[in-house]
């Protein structure tokens, strides 16, 4: 066989795939540290090639050369190396057989086995520019391959959907299953259809869809509703029949990108939060979360068992709540999160980390189920705290109280007592399950408010802005420890004496003997000198749940920091607040149970 005198081999690619590195590594036999934009043309001598033909290797640089220069290199080439990076997203391919007008037979019999062998090939089409055969179809397929690719959805070799596609569609099914009975009934199917395609299905069309499933599988339809297996079968059928756009429309409506990951824009919609403003859930968000709770509270006991919690979070890629949550919010006697505790945890997440809250609501499908533009519609951004102080009123519902005190002063117990736990119950809490937060509702003048307690680590020299930023401060000392009060006094003088943040002194472990504090002033004299309330005696060493009056007082101070000390010390003021708290707490729970029975 006659060989040519030499071969020319240009390497072409898009930028940053490593084509120049290949040439440099060939020359130096090691990976180059510094890679130029374009390598100089090199020649492989004839005596080092098996066929003893010299080969010219030409590098092409998009940055340095024009399309005309590329065309010239290609026109002289004996072979062209198209280089791509294997870690980049695969580009769908379409095989196009042109000039079909020149032959009487079709090449499809030869091409189809190739198409079936390589999953990157979306389709193949024969066309003719001369006869205008399949010209528009070619570009339709090209557009469809980009907008609705098969690759992420389906494995042609196995003839089944890929695991990532099944996982995504399973989440969509669970979000759409509004009553969590494992079946999409006609009402849920119509809501799903309207959500994804902006139109409901006619009753006969709905029945036709179910009949298709019935004919192909025994467990795809139950109680005249579509099961998860039936739902997945339908989408497999759509894909196999070339209707990828149906499945992609569903996936994209529920927030998925081309890699079947939830869009960052979907999970984290834009939400502007000015300085000195806080974030809270609005009324519609609480209604949605209530519906999610009801959906998973299968035994209707107003609490979520570990299995019910696990089921609720199946639409998440990970378990968002750890064992510490059970020691952050109210639980029942079995240690299960109650309805009130569940809402409290959502309130805490919204206040402390609103981006995380948006992400969680995204997994639950808030914007889809509530027909909102995004999860941002669930959030209320409160007005600047300075305006509240100026107007001497607030519309906020969540208030933060930071708890400071020396080690062993009773801070953790104070947090747990807010959840109704006495000392005996607190001793059963595992050390690695403890929380530095607790949150519960209180009632001030008949208004339900959330009080968020945060235990600050007792490091006097390194109190951060977060440790100091709150609506009210609680300084806790152990009456039985003579050195406990000194820490509270120093913290107050260093950080809070000149601030506008109201402070309360808590005389913890008041059931024990009161020791004389090793400080220049007694706790009472210190409070009088600094115009603070007298130290409030408190203990959780009780038979029943600890008294919650102090928490109502703290909430009231957080709501009305402008009120005169004399007013706050008034016994009738505290009596009105605490009686209101008791009455509304009882009424609130009774009303919820009544509503639950109706549902």
């Amino acid at each position: 066989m006659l060989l040519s005198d030499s071969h020319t081999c240009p390497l072409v690619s898009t930028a940053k795939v490593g084509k120049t590195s290949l040439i440099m590594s060939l020359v130096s036999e090691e990976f180059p540290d510094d890679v130029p934009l374009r390598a100089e043309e090199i020649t492989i001598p004839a005596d080092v090639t098996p066929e003893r033909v010299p080969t010219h290797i030409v590098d092409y640089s998009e940055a340095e050369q024009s399309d005309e220069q590329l065309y010239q290199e290609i026109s002289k080439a004996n072979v062209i190396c198209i280089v791509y990076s294997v870690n980049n997203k695969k580009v769908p391919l379409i095989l196009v057989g042109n000039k079909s007008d020149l032959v009487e037979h079709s090449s499809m019999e030869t091409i189809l086995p190739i198409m079936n062998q390589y999953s990157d090939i979306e389709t193949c089409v024969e066309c003719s520019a001369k006869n205008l055969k399949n010209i528009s179809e070619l570009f339709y397929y090209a557009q469809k391959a980009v907008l609705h690719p098969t690759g992420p959805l389906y494995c042609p070799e196995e003839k089944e959907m890929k695991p990532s596609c099944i996982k995504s569609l399973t989440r969509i099914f669970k979000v759409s299953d509004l009553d969590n009975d494992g079946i999409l009934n006609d009402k849920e199917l119509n809501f799903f259809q309207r959500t994804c395609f902006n139109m409901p299905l006619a009753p006969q069309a709905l029945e036709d869809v179910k009949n298709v499933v019935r004919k192909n599988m025994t467990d795809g339809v139950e109680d005249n509703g579509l099961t998860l297996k039936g739902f997945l079968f339908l989408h497999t059928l759509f894909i196999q029949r070339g209707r990828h756009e149906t499945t992609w429309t569903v996936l994209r409506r529920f927030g998925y990108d081309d890699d079947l990951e939830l869009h960052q824009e979907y999970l984290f919609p834009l939400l502007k939060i000015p300085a000195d403003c806080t974030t809270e859930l609005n009324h519609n968000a609480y209604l949605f979360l209530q519906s999610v709770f009801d959906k998973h509270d299968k035994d209707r006991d107003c609490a979520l068992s570990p299995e019910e919690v696990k089921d609720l979070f199946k639409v998440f890629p990970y378990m968002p709540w750890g064992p510490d949550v059970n020691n952050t919010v109210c639980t029942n006697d079995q240690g299960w999160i109650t309805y009130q505790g569940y809402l409290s945890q959502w309130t805490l997440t919204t206040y402390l980390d609103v981006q995380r809250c948006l992400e969680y609501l995204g997994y639950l499908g808030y914007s889809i189920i509530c027909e909102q533009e995004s999860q941002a519609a669930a959030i209320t951004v409160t007005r600047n705290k300075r305006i509240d102080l100026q107007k001497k009123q607030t519309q906020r519902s969540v208030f933060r109280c930071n708890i400071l005190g020396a080690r062993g002063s009773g801070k953790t117990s104070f947090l747990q007592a807010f959840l109704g736990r006495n000392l005996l119950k607190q001793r059963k809490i595992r050390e690695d399950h403890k929380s530095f937060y607790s949150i519960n509702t209180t009632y001030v003048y008949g208004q339900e408010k959330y009080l968020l307690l945060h235990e600050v680590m007792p490091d006097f020299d390194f109190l951060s802005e977060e440790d100091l930023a709150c609506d009210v401060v609680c300084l806790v000392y152990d009456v039985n420890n003579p050195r406990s009060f000194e820490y509270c006094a120093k913290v107050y003088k260093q950080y809070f004496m000149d601030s506008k943040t109201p402070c309360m002194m808590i005389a913890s472990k008041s059931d024990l003997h009161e020791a004389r504090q090793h400080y220049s002033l007694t706790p009472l004299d210190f409070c009088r000198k600094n115009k603070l309330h007298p130290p409030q005696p408190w203990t959780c060493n009780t038979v029943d749940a600890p008294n919650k009056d102090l928490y109502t007082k703290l909430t009231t101070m957080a709501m009305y920091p402008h009120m005169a000390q004399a007013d706050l010390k008034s016994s009738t003021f505290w009596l009105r607040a605490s009686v209101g708290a008791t009455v509304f707490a009882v009424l609130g729970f009774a009303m919820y149970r009544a509503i639950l029975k109706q549902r």
Side-chain angles (χ1 to χ4, degrees):
M1 184 173 66
L2 183 65
L3 297 174
S4 61
D5 295 336
S6 66
H7 290 160
T8 299
C9 173
L11 271 70
V12 298
S13 74
T14 56
K16 304 292 184 181
V17 300
K19 134 184 75 62
T20 304
S21 296
L22 288 175
I23 299 171
M24 301 290 287
S25 296
L26 173 69
V27 175
S28 62
E29 295 188 345
E30 62 180 10
F31 185 76
D33 293 325
D34 298 315
V35 181
L37 286 175
R38 178 171 173 259
E40 296 294 329
E41 182 178 328
I42 66 167
T43 299
I44 302 175
D47 56 359
V48 298
T49 63
E51 303 294 344
R52 304 194 67 77
V53 176
T55 303
H56 306 292
I57 296 178
V58 181
D59 190 10
Y60 168 72
S61 170
E62 203 173 19
E64 291 189 354
Q65 292 172 284
S66 65
D67 291 344
E68 179 63 30
Q69 288 172 304
L70 173 62
Y71 175 75
Q72 290 176 1
E73 296 289 357
I74 289 175
S75 63
K76 296 185 293 184
N78 300 96
V79 62
I80 302 168
C81 284
I82 301 175
V83 184
Y84 68 95
S85 175
V86 295
N87 67 335
N88 283 352
K89 180 184 167 186
K90 292 183 178 180
V91 177
L93 303 175
I94 296 175
L95 292 181
V96 181
N98 196 20
K99 301 186 179 181
S100 62
D101 56 286
L102 298 180
V103 294
E104 295 182 358
H105 63 274
S106 171
S107 63
M108 295 301 282
E109 285 187 17
T110 309
I111 297 299
L112 282 175
I114 299 173
M115 177 182 167
N116 292 331
Q117 185 178 354
Y118 297 100
S119 58
D120 291 349
I121 301 175
E122 285 284 324
T123 189
C124 49
V125 58
E126 289 185 346
C127 58
S128 167
K130 184 176 181 180
N131 293 344
L132 304 181
K133 177 186 175 184
N134 288 340
I135 301 300
S136 58
E137 286 82 355
L138 163 62
F139 292 102
Y140 165 74
Y141 289 135
Q143 186 182 54
K144 186 176 178 180
V146 174
L147 297 177
H148 312 117
T150 309
L153 307 182
Y154 189 75
C155 179
E157 294 87 358
E158 303 292 336
K159 292 184 169 55
E160 60 185 30
M161 283 193 295
K162 290 186 175 179
S164 57
C165 183
I166 293 173
K167 182 181 176 182
S168 302
L169 290 172
T170 300
R171 170 185 165 265
I172 290 169
F173 179 91
K174 284 192 67 66
V175 168
S176 304
D177 183 12
L178 300 178
D179 56 9
N180 198 32
D181 64 350
I183 296 169
L184 295 185
N185 58 40
D186 286 0
K187 184 179 177 182
E188 290 165 340
L189 280 169
N190 263 315
F191 180 80
F192 170 82
Q193 177 75 11
R194 195 173 69 251
T195 297
C196 296
F197 304 102
N198 297 317
M199 63 177 69
L201 278 172
Q204 187 56 50
L206 202 57
E207 204 56 40
D208 291 345
V209 167
K210 286 185 278 190
N211 284 334
V212 169
V213 177
R214 286 190 185 101
K215 288 178 183 177
N216 286 275
M217 59 195 316
T218 55
D219 52 356
V221 177
E222 289 181 12
D223 297 330
N224 203 36
L226 202 62
T227 65
L228 174 60
K229 285 185 177 179
F231 183 74
L232 295 175
F233 166 78
L234 275 179
H235 282 282
T236 304
L237 199 62
F238 291 145
I239 296 166
Q240 289 174 341
R241 292 182 177 179
R243 290 176 55 190
H244 314 77
E245 65 272 14
T246 302
T247 301
W248 274 116
T249 300
V250 170
L251 288 165
R252 288 179 175 134
R253 178 66 184 90
F254 278 78
Y256 289 94
D257 62 17
D258 290 351
D259 298 315
L260 298 189
E261 298 287 344
L262 287 170
H263 273 292
Q264 292 296 294
E265 294 80 3
Y266 169 79
L267 291 175
F268 304 103
L270 182 64
L271 181 67
K272 294 182 179 179
I273 306 169
D276 290 328
C277 297
T278 58
T279 45
E280 301 177 359
L281 292 165
N282 59 33
H283 178 66
N284 288 334
Y286 279 117
L287 288 178
F288 170 76
L289 291 170
Q290 177 183 307
S291 72
V292 173
F293 182 93
D294 292 345
K295 174 177 171 177
H296 293 90
D297 182 19
K298 291 291 186 70
D299 53 10
R300 311 308 253 180
D301 63 347
C302 298
L304 295 177
S305 68
E307 292 74 23
E308 288 169 341
V309 170
K310 187 176 179 181
D311 185 45
L312 190 155
F313 290 124
K314 278 183 179 177
V315 294
F316 285 56
Y318 56 87
M319 173 57 73
W321 291 1
D324 60 309
V325 172
N326 295 59
N327 297 310
T328 303
V329 299
C330 291
T331 57
N332 63 12
D333 292 337
Q334 294 168 284
W336 300 352
I337 296 171
T338 63
Y339 171 74
Q340 184 57 54
Y342 163 84
L343 293 182
S344 295
Q345 179 62 24
W346 277 99
T347 303
L348 177 144
T349 304
T350 308
Y351 185 94
L352 295 179
D353 189 352
V354 71
Q355 292 299 316
R356 185 62 57 90
C357 177
L358 292 172
E359 178 190 358
Y360 290 176
L361 289 172
Y363 294 138
L364 290 173
Y366 172 82
S367 62
I368 294 156
I369 301 302
C370 294
E371 301 182 74
Q372 299 289 337
E373 188 174 338
S374 75
Q375 298 89 267
I379 307 299
T380 294
V381 178
T382 64
R383 70 184 179 189
N384 192 297
K385 192 176 175 180
R386 288 195 300 272
I387 298 175
D388 283 352
L389 291 171
Q390 290 167 6
K391 292 183 177 291
K392 298 183 179 181
Q393 61 179 3
T394 182
Q395 296 173 329
R396 291 166 57 201
S397 298
V398 186
F399 299 90
R400 176 169 176 159
C401 173
N402 283 356
I403 315 295
L404 294 97
R407 293 187 187 279
S409 60
K411 299 186 299 298
T412 303
S413 292
F414 191 75
L415 265 68
Q416 290 302 309
F418 189 30
L419 306 177
R421 296 166 188 168
N422 61 19
L423 189 60
L424 187 64
K425 289 184 177 179
Q426 291 180 28
R427 284 172 175 164
K428 297 177 183 178
I429 300 173
R430 285 175 47 174
E431 192 66 32
D432 57 338
H433 290 180
K434 287 184 177 179
S435 173
F436 290 107
Y437 292 93
S438 73
I439 182 170
N440 203 352
T441 53
T442 62
Y443 290 83
V444 178
Y445 292 137
Q447 298 179 62
E448 183 184 53
K449 302 294 179 183
Y450 281 96
L451 181 63
L452 168 59
L453 303 182
H454 172 47
E455 178 182 345
V456 178
M457 296 303 292
D459 194 342
F460 178 79
D461 296 323
F462 295 101
L463 291 180
S464 66
E465 286 187 19
E466 185 185 4
D467 296 331
L468 303 174
C470 58
D471 302 299
V472 61
V473 172
C474 193
L475 299 166
V476 182
Y477 71 96
D478 177 359
V479 299
N480 192 239
N481 182 347
R483 298 191 178 279
S484 185
F485 178 73
E486 182 181 15
Y487 177 88
C488 293
K490 285 185 175 180
V491 165
Y492 177 79
K493 290 168 69 175
Q494 176 75 24
Y495 295 105
F496 300 107
M497 180 179 278
D498 299 321
S499 80
K500 293 182 180 180
T501 306
C503 297
M504 178 184 282
M505 198 74 70
I506 302 293
S508 177
K509 306 180 186 180
S510 61
D511 58 305
L512 302 178
H513 170 71
E514 186 171 357
R516 188 176 185 278
Q517 295 294 322
H518 293 180
Y519 191 71
S520 57
L521 295 172
T522 67
L524 180 59
D525 289 340
F526 180 89
C527 289
R528 283 174 177 167
K529 181 181 178 181
N530 291 284
K531 298 180 180 180
L532 298 173
H533 315 308
Q536 304 290 305
W538 176 84
T539 181
C540 62
N541 190 11
T542 56
V543 176
D544 300 318
N547 190 291
K548 293 189 178 179
D549 286 353
L550 275 183
Y551 305 103
T552 303
K553 289 183 180 182
L554 287 167
T555 311
T556 309
M557 292 169 66
M559 287 178 67
Y560 305 109
H562 58 279
M563 294 185 74
Q565 295 294 327
D567 292 337
L568 285 171
K569 291 176 187 175
S570 163
S571 58
T572 56
F573 173 85
W574 295 122
L575 182 63
R576 290 199 307 271
S578 59
V579 168
T582 306
V583 171
F584 277 89
V586 172
L587 285 175
F589 186 72
M591 287 175 67
Y592 172 71
R593 293 302 294 262
I595 292 168
L596 192 65
K597 284 180 181 178
Q598 290 176 11
R599 287 199 296 266

